[in-house]
Amino acid sequence: MAFGGFTDEAFAFYEGLQSDNGKPYWTSHKETYERHVREPLTELCAELEEEFGAVKLFRPYRDVRFSKDKTPYKTHQGGHTSEGFYIQVDADGLMVAGGMYAPTPGQLRRYREAAGSDTYGRELQAIVDDLRSAGMEIAGDRLKTRPRGTAPDHPRLELLRHRSLYARTGWPADPWMEDPGQVVARVRTSWRRLRPLVDWGREHLGPPDPDR
């Protein structure tokens, strides 16, 4: 089926789940989740697959085995491509991102080698500066200090502190999201803007460690 936009029911579903994250709410609203969240998100991703690759949607259930928070359901629906593009629907609206999310130790070592070099590091800095100038938020897990062996006056110290690095942007749950053309266009434009960061990561981090 063709993507038909996101209705108010999608965002209202997550507003309710934030207030009542339990099985009774989930069971009584599962049809709403399937019809207004998962199905349209699947259809949206299908519209973008030719250019950005297939999107794998995450399961709606939280892994609570090692968490103090035992609420069973995620309060958002996310999906990602193998390249590093991300999309998410929640009570606030729609968010997209792109970059390097959970590098393995080997990938993190290669990231810091590239980010610390004059050639590739300056290229990454230019990409990040361009995304920030475009209004995107630069995010990711970072060290509080600096990587071992890194000079305190390194020109790209902030980049080297990152253990993950991505950029994101989003839109509130406004009526225009019921217009499929607008939604597809905004996501496509944002992912195209994010492609230099995604491609930099793919080039310099390489594949995950074999044992992971």
Side-chain angles (χ1 to χ4, degrees):
M1 294 179 62
F3 174 57
F6 292 107
T7 63
D8 288 342
E9 285 86 346
F11 312 113
F13 166 78
Y14 280 115
E15 288 178 355
L17 188 61
Q18 287 177 344
S19 301
D20 183 8
N21 196 310
K23 188 173 182 179
Y25 176 89
W26 178 264
T27 301
S28 63
H29 292 81
K30 188 174 181 180
E31 183 179 352
T32 301
Y33 163 75
E34 294 289 348
R35 181 178 178 183
H36 295 282
V37 177
R38 196 170 185 91
E39 288 180 8
L41 185 57
T42 299
E43 293 158 0
L44 169 59
C45 293
E47 297 267 0
L48 300 159
E49 181 174 344
E50 183 176 355
E51 181 173 353
F52 302 100
V55 176
K56 179 181 179 180
L57 297 187
F58 293 108
R59 288 163 50 87
Y61 313 105
R62 297 183 63 250
D63 184 353
V64 301
R65 292 174 297 173
F66 308 106
S67 175
K68 293 181 180 179
D69 180 2
K70 298 300 182 182
T71 52
Y73 304 105
K74 297 175 183 176
T75 55
H76 61 272
Q77 176 63 63
H80 71 101
T81 75
S82 60
E83 291 186 351
F85 296 101
Y86 179 80
I87 189 166
Q88 175 178 300
V89 177
D90 59 21
D92 294 328
L94 183 65
M95 186 267 282
V96 295
M100 301 154 272
Y101 302 100
T104 62
Q107 289 178 314
L108 181 58
R109 174 180 52 78
R110 292 189 290 272
Y111 164 78
R112 290 199 171 124
E113 288 174 354
S117 72
D118 285 342
T119 301
Y120 304 127
R122 288 176 179 173
E123 179 184 354
L124 177 60
Q125 187 68 66
I127 292 170
V128 168
D129 290 345
D130 178 68
L131 291 171
R132 187 177 282 117
S133 297
M136 292 195 175
E137 178 188 0
I138 306 302
D141 183 36
R142 299 190 302 171
L143 295 170
K144 293 182 178 180
T145 56
R146 63 179 186 273
R148 184 176 301 175
T150 302
D153 60 348
H154 194 288
R156 287 176 298 283
L157 178 58
E158 288 305 307
L159 289 178
L160 291 169
R161 290 173 60 203
H162 276 267
R163 290 184 289 203
S164 61
L165 174 65
Y166 54 92
R168 61 190 176 194
T169 190
W171 308 275
D174 290 334
W176 66 265
M177 287 196 184
E178 295 190 31
D179 183 335
Q182 286 198 59
V183 176
V184 171
R186 293 199 190 195
V187 175
R188 178 180 284 120
T189 297
S190 296
W191 274 359
R192 284 175 176 173
R193 172 74 74 173
L194 288 159
R195 181 170 286 284
L197 181 61
V198 171
D199 287 348
W200 190 97
R202 294 181 67 207
E203 178 181 356
H204 296 290
L205 271 65
D209 301 352
D211 59 346
R212 179 161 176 167

